[in-house]
Structures are given as C-alpha cells and as structure tokens.
C-alpha cells in the first residue's frame, strides 16, 4: 500500500496547529505567498545566480558539443551560515556547566559537512574539529582550527595517516587496540605527548534507525568493556601518558533520556579506568547524535533540557565514581555533533526537469539524483520538499525522482505536492545540510553540485560545481587509444 504524505506550505497556514511543526523542517527558509527566501535573499535569485536555474539558453557549439555555459548548470546546496552559527552556539551554551565544575568542548563532526568554509565559520566561533581521517585533518587546518582542537577518530585507517595526525599534535581516538599497537611500533615517543583515547561500545546503541546506530553487539565500532580495560592497560605499558575516553553509539536521537543514560554508563567505565588502572582523563567524549526534525510534526530535541540533565548527571557521576583529570578536577566534557549544527541549515535546490504520468502516478523529475543526495536511497529518509512559488491548492500525490539509472533514485514517494508543478520550477529539498554534499558521489558520471553559503545577507559560492575535467582528473588512457 502506498502512503501519501502531506507536503505543503499550506499546512502552515490553515490554523490547524501544524505551522510550528512545518517551520521545524522549513528551516532556514522564510516563505511569503509561496515564495521562499533564505537570509532575506529570494531562493529563486540564488538559484539563478548559481546555475540551478540558469538564465542562458542551452546552446550547441559548431562542433556539436555543449557549450561551457551549460556545463555550469545543476543542483546546488544552499546553506544559511547564521543558522549554522546559532546551532553551534545553542549546543555550546546548553552544554556549558552552569556551576563551573568542568569545561565543555564542542568539536564539529566534519563527516556531516566537510566544506572548509563552513568549518572556518565554526572555528571562528571557537569550535574544534572531529576528523575521521587525515583528509579531514587537512580540511580542519585549511579552516584554521588549531591543532589542540582536533580529534582524529578513524576506523581502520592506515598507519601513515595516523602518524600524520600524531605529528601535528591531534588527540587520537582508536577504535581498537591493534591500531594503537601498530602505531606505537612506528612512532618516536609521540604517543607520550598526544592524548590517547579508545572508543567504548557499551553493548547498546542510540540512533534513529539500525543504519545509523553505531553501538551495540552488531556494531563494527569500538570495544566492549573487557577489551577496553585491556587496551588502556596496554597503552599505558607502552608509554602513553595522556588519556581520554570516547563513545558514540548512534545518530539522530531527539530524546533527552537516552543521552543521560549513556553518559552514566560511560562515566561508570571512566571510574574503573581511574580507580583500577590509576589513569586520569583529560576529556570524556560523548560523540554526536543530537537529532533534528525531518518530518513536519517531528518533535524537536530540547537541547537546553538535554544540556541541563546531561551536565548535571555528568558532574554527579564523575563525583560518584571518582573520575579525575591530572589536576584532580572533572575531565572536560567533549562532544562531536554534526547533524545538529548543519542539518537544518541547508537545502538542496534543483530544477524540475520533467513532469509525467505513468500507470496513474505522477512523477516529477529533478536535476539531481541519489548521487547528489544519497540519504533517501540509502536510509529511506524523509526530506520535506517545497516548490518555490507554487500554491498549495489542488494537491496531488507525486513521486519525486532523480536522473540516476537506479530504481532507488527517489527523493519522495507519493508525496502530496501542488498540482500545478511544471518543468522549470524550482524544487527545494529541506534539511539537507548534513550528510548531503559530504555523501555525494559521481555515480552515473554526475558532477558534484555547487555549494553556496548565505551569511549576514550575502551569498558566497563556497564550492564550484564540479567540472568534467575534475571528474576525469587522474584518468590515464591506454597507449593503444593514444595511437589510434
Ligand atoms: C565518531 C562520530 N562522531 C560524530 C558523529 C556525528 O554524528 P551526528 O551527525 O549524529 O551528530 C558521527 C556520525 O556518525 C561519528 O561516527
């Protein structure tokens, strides 16, 4: 059976109580008479300026090749920089210990959105970087993040990369003791100077669904309690002197209680490290996972309530289990949010390229694909879709699909959308700021989209649309082809 989901701007106008909930998923757009804008700039103007709706006509050169102009056409991610900063500040303020018993560190998870200009904006606010590999360390450096505010937290990464991270002084979080052992055999005392952390898998996980749950028995991440005790013991024997503890068990959780329960479990383990092994901890990293609404009607995570309960539980449990840093105080509370900072601050804008009927279904094709925004095909995620300038009268269910040669290349199934949608309209896919561009690929030889940041009323191109030359960079033709 097909489920029809409502998807209208009008949902917000009928006085039926869903204005606020629609607002949740429309962030950071403003709407007036069906026309959308971001940071006071009409979204259509941005779309025209950055090639989503290019004004110039398609032209074919005399050689029969598409002109360069048309190569600049395509979907674009558009972000609201002010919203990104506000989201970061909300977490920072919510998680600060009101009683001054410990410090809080917020490190942005670059995997959620790795545009260096976005990291630069966050770094200017004092935010650190959570890096999954050495390329992310490089992005953090490009963005001006100081080395002391970087965590290298990879999975099965090569030793050479880890050495690089060590040498610049980043704290290193190991997923397994084997990785630590391989590294310690290759370095010259850096493991004594850098903070060494291991990832704890408490045997249960958070997360909106199984695909974004990163703790529990079936997870590939981290170590159980017995293994992790052994890992710290071994690391200390091998000369490590500075320690921290890491845990990240899932993404997109919008309730307070699971985070509080998990931090208690993590601090209990920290107590064992301190009391049984005599280790002190510089920080305890609770990972990311703070959720955001994607569907109208989804509840919001109350970040201030989370902060209140979490910081209280953290201080209390650290006291109860006698968890200390080397100065005898409470270790810093660290977190690595990604989605919460950028998710609702970005949209994917794409042109409607076709409208057809097939077996009684209405199918709207857009100038993007699962290679541009992977989340729907990969996780079955919901992204709200707005059509700029189309009023919501006469709605009808429609599928919204992309250009890839894949049956899973959908943005929406049987979604209620305005009946009057036409080719050339502008589709705006909401809540696409996290795991959007960063998961994009060149599948089907589609160029990666442009990225635009609106900040303090000005629009900045922060990544050009990928050109064909960039897509084939590094390709070597066979000698036989060259001779032909
Ligand atoms: C180790 C680690 N830290 C942080 C994050 C960011 O999570 P989120 O975007 O849910 O905040 C992830 C995401 O999977 C992660 O694996």
């Amino acid at each position: 059976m097909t489920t029809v989901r409502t998807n209208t701007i009008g949902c917000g106008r009928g006085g039926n109580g869903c204005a606020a909930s629609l607002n949740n998923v429309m962030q950071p757009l403003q709407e007036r008479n069906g026309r959308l804008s971001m940071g006071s700039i009409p979204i259509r103007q941005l779309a025209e300026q950055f090639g989503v709706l290019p004004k110039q006509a398609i032209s074919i050169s005399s050689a029969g090749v598409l002109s360069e102009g048309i190569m600049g056409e395509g979907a674009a991610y558009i972000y609201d920089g002010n919203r990104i900063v506000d989201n970061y500040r909300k977490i920072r303020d919510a998680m600060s210990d009101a009683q001054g018993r410990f410090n809080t560190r917020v490190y942005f998870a670059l995997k959620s959105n790795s545009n260096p200009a976005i990291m630069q904006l966050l770094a200017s606010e004092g935010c650190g970087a959570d890096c999954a590999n050495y390329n992310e360390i490089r992005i953090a450096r490009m963005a001006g993040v100081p080395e002391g505010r970087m965590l290298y937290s990879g999975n099965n990464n090569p030793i050479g990369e880890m050495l690089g991270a060590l040498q610049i002084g980043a704290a290193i979080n190991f997923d397994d003791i084997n990785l630590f052992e391989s590294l310690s055999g290759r370095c010259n005392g850096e493991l004594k100077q850098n903070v060494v952390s291991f990832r704890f898998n408490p045997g249960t996980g958070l997360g909106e669904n199984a695909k974004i749950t990163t703790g529990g028995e079936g997870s590939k991440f981290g170590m159980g309690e017995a293994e992790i005790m052994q890992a710290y013991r071994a690391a200390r024997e091998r000369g490590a002197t500075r320690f921290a503890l890491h845990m990240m068990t899932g993404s997109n959780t919008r309730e307070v209680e699971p985070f509080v329960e998990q931090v208690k479990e993590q601090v209990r383990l920290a107590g064992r490290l301190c009391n049984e092994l005599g280790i002190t901890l510089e920080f305890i990293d609770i990972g990311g996972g703070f959720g955001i609404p994607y569907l109208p009607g989804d509840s919001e995570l109350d970040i201030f309530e989370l902060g209140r309960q979490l910081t209280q539980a953290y201080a209390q449990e650290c006291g109860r289990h006698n968890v200390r840093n080397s100065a005898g105080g409470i270790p810093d509370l660290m977190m690595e949010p990604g989605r919460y900072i950028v998710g609702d601050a970005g949209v994917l804008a794409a042109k409607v390229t076709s409208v057809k009927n097939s077996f009684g279904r209405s199918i709207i094709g857009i100038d993007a694909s699962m290679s541009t925004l992977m989340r729907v095909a990969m996780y079955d995620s919901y992204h709200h879709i707005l059509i700029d300038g189309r009023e919501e009268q006469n709605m009808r269910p429609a599928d919204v699909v992309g250009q890839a040669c894949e049956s899973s290349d959908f943005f929406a199934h049987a979604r209620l959308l305005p009946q009057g949608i036409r080719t050339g309209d502008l589709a705006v896919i909401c809540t696409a700021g996290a795991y959007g561009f960063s998961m994009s690929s060149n599948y089907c030889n589609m160029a990666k989209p442009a990225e635009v940041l609106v900040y303090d009323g000005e629009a900045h191109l922060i990544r050009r649309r990928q050109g064909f030359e960039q897509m084939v960079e590094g390709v070597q033709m066979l000698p036989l082809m060259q001779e032909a």
Side-chain angles (χ1 to χ4, degrees):
M1 202 182 84
T2 313
T3 309
V4 178
R5 280 166 154 170
T6 50
N7 183 84
T8 69
I9 297 175
C11 172
R13 296 213 205 112
N16 57 6
C18 69
S21 58
L22 182 55
N23 230 358
N24 286 349
V25 298
M26 261 186 73
Q27 295 292 353
L29 300 165
Q30 300 86 44
E31 181 255 330
R32 210 161 171 209
N33 301 328
R35 290 278 174 205
L36 301 165
S37 58
M38 185 188 284
S40 306
I41 309 179
I43 206 86
R44 176 162 291 268
Q45 183 183 318
L46 294 167
E48 286 171 356
Q49 186 179 349
F50 295 104
V52 182
L53 298 177
K55 283 197 160 155
Q56 88 200 83
I58 296 175
S59 58
I60 307 280
S61 76
S62 52
V65 175
L66 285 175
S67 73
E68 270 310 298
I70 195 67
M71 291 306 192
E73 180 177 353
Y77 280 96
I78 308 178
Y79 310 105
D80 181 336
N82 297 85
R83 178 88 189 168
I84 291 173
V85 168
D86 284 353
N87 287 341
Y88 164 73
R89 288 181 184 165
K90 263 202 271 179
I91 296 181
R92 182 199 60 193
D93 296 348
M95 298 294 169
S96 299
D97 175 29
Q99 292 167 34
R101 293 160 295 186
F102 57 85
N103 297 317
T104 302
R105 308 186 195 182
V106 182
Y107 286 19
F108 176 57
L110 268 167
K111 62 179 76 67
S112 65
N113 186 317
S114 44
N115 190 295
I118 288 179
M119 186 70 247
Q120 183 189 19
L121 189 59
L122 289 167
S124 73
E125 290 282 314
C127 183
D130 165 43
C131 308
N133 55 42
Y134 196 71
N135 284 340
E136 291 192 353
I137 291 259
R138 288 172 129 168
I139 287 169
R141 292 182 100 182
M142 259 174 96
V145 179
E147 276 82 17
R149 264 193 244 139
M150 286 181 201
L151 175 68
Y152 177 93
S153 184
N155 255 275
N156 310 314
N157 299 11
I159 299 298
E161 270 204 10
M162 288 195 267
L163 269 177
L166 263 189
Q167 272 156 11
I168 65 153
I172 307 253
N173 180 47
F174 293 93
D175 193 67
D176 186 64
I177 185 62
N178 290 321
L179 298 167
F180 174 88
E181 305 245 311
S182 313
L183 187 60
S184 70
R186 290 273 303 277
C187 63
N188 306 315
E190 288 94 342
L191 279 172
K192 288 198 178 107
Q193 286 141 29
N194 291 49
V195 175
V196 169
S197 157
F198 290 95
R199 181 166 179 165
F200 177 40
N201 177 350
T204 56
L206 308 183
E208 184 193 20
N209 59 54
K211 287 195 174 156
I212 53 174
T213 296
T214 54
E217 287 180 14
S219 169
K220 73 163 186 162
F221 300 103
M223 286 171 275
E225 187 154 346
E227 292 81 21
I228 210 164
M229 291 297 290
Q230 185 51 32
Y232 280 92
R233 207 173 276 123
R236 198 189 42 193
E237 279 162 16
R238 289 223 180 229
T241 57
R242 299 177 62 194
F243 294 98
L245 174 64
H246 180 274
M247 187 170 91
M248 159 83 199
T249 67
S251 192
N252 206 24
T253 298
R254 287 179 284 114
E255 292 82 39
V256 168
E257 198 197 335
F259 288 106
V260 176
E261 290 312 309
Q262 292 251 322
V263 84
K264 287 183 184 167
E265 184 58 8
Q266 194 179 5
V267 175
R268 182 192 60 72
L269 174 71
R272 287 195 65 197
L273 297 176
C274 291
N275 302 314
E276 292 176 33
L277 305 185
I279 279 172
T280 57
L281 295 167
E282 295 195 17
F283 60 82
I284 295 183
D285 184 344
I286 62 170
F290 307 148
I292 57 173
Y294 282 88
L295 270 113
D298 270 356
S299 61
E300 258 184 89
L301 170 65
D302 185 341
I303 195 79
F304 288 98
E305 183 57 21
L306 173 64
R308 197 184 64 73
Q309 291 194 30
L310 194 113
T311 54
Q312 206 169 53
Y314 181 69
Q316 233 165 38
E317 296 300 300
C318 282
R320 190 152 83 96
H321 295 287
N322 199 18
V323 172
R324 307 165 299 278
N325 60 25
S326 58
I330 296 179
D332 291 0
L333 173 65
M334 176 152 143
M335 57 212 69
E336 311 162 349
R339 189 188 310 273
Y340 192 90
I341 293 179
V342 286
D344 71 3
V347 299
L348 175 65
K351 185 167 72 175
V352 173
T353 44
S354 78
V355 180
K356 75 170 184 182
N357 279 305
S358 177
F359 294 93
R361 281 159 56 231
S362 178
I363 304 181
I364 294 163
I366 63 171
D367 186 11
S369 76
M370 61 193 280
S371 56
T372 330
L373 177 66
M374 165 87 110
R375 295 189 72 255
V376 181
M378 184 153 154
Y379 302 133
D380 228 353
S381 303
Y382 179 97
H383 283 270
H384 204 66
I385 300 177
L386 302 169
I387 308 293
D388 184 57
R390 288 282 169 214
E391 290 292 340
E392 68 282 1
Q393 294 103 11
N394 304 322
M395 308 295 287
R396 63 167 174 187
D399 296 341
V400 181
V401 302
Q403 313 168 352
C405 301
E406 282 295 326
S407 302
S408 52
D409 186 26
F410 276 75
F411 293 96
H413 295 269
R415 190 76 63 81
L416 271 189
L417 287 166
Q419 199 155 36
I421 296 177
R422 300 275 177 275
T423 302
D425 277 354
L426 179 61
V428 179
I429 301 177
C430 299
T431 332
Y435 307 103
F437 185 95
S438 64
M439 279 189 172
S440 66
S441 76
N442 286 133
Y443 179 55
C444 277
N445 290 296
M446 305 235 341
K448 292 196 181 194
E451 290 181 289
V452 174
L453 183 88
V454 177
Y455 186 57
D456 283 348
E458 265 186 60
H460 306 264
L461 181 65
I462 56 170
R463 193 189 309 262
R464 274 200 313 270
R465 178 165 294 103
Q466 198 179 30
F468 179 72
E469 292 71 22
Q470 291 167 288
M471 278 172 58
V472 292
E473 202 179 2
V475 166
Q476 307 262 9
M477 300 305 286
L478 296 172
L480 120 125
M481 301 281 283
Q482 283 168 3
E483 281 163 16

